[in-house]
Amino acid sequence: MKPLIFALLGIAALPAMAAHELDGRDIDAGARLYAENCAACHGAGLEGQPDWQTPGADGVMPAPPHDETGHTWHHGNVQLFDYTKLGGAELVKRMGLSSFNSGMPGFGDVLSDEEIWQILAYIRSTWPEEIRQIQAGRNPPHD
């Protein structure tokens, strides 16, 4: 199971590139939107649910932390956006994976694209600078 999770998470070192989708966003709005839409599962302090690396009795993965102790920063911006907009089950299905059971609902009908980007920018703003730089390296260059 763990190799599948690492493959799904794309934990490979990439050269430093860009974080353009998250630049210039309204961090305060992102914090408010996070509190309203994300904190119930991921925690008010971005701490995630207990035992987030182990599936629950129902086989569903608990909500991970979005602080630097989690794996959110291991992903590129577009993957984080798609996961939030589409939901875990839909994105995993599109990736052709069947053995990862995500409990993350899609927010595409609840939040606008701009609101999703604001939330992601807020989450990034809470990470130490070193983690922000590593995460920026997960993003392809922009034209």
Side-chain angles (χ1 to χ4, degrees):
M1 176 76 171
K2 286 193 186 227
L4 172 63
I5 291 172
F6 289 126
L8 173 65
L9 300 178
I11 303 176
L14 299 173
M17 302 228 184
H20 300 293
E21 297 91 356
L22 302 181
D23 291 344
R25 302 290 175 171
D26 185 339
I27 301 300
D28 292 334
R32 284 190 302 277
L33 290 162
Y34 177 89
E36 294 167 8
N37 296 280
C38 312
C41 294
H42 292 279
L46 295 92
E47 70 275 10
Q49 295 178 343
D51 300 320
W52 63 272
Q53 294 176 309
T54 304
D58 59 0
V60 176
M61 295 299 291
H66 286 313
D67 63 14
E68 71 275 8
T69 68
H71 60 76
T72 305
W73 59 272
H74 294 196
H75 306 291
N77 297 338
V78 173
Q79 184 179 14
L80 294 171
F81 177 88
D82 289 344
Y83 206 87
T84 305
K85 183 171 184 165
L86 302 172
E90 179 60 27
L91 187 60
V92 167
K93 179 178 151 188
R94 289 182 184 194
M95 294 172 72
L97 301 171
S98 60
S99 61
F100 183 80
N101 194 357
S102 171
M104 173 73 175
F107 283 86
D109 294 334
V110 177
L111 298 167
S112 70
D113 289 359
E114 177 63 21
E115 289 172 325
I116 293 171
W117 286 121
Q118 288 172 341
I119 291 168
L120 294 173
Y122 160 68
I123 292 169
R124 179 187 68 167
S125 77
T126 69
W127 300 333
E129 182 59 32
E130 180 181 8
I131 298 295
R132 282 188 241 164
Q133 291 299 316
I134 293 169
Q135 193 274 337
R138 310 249 186 250
N139 299 292
H142 295 68
D143 295 333

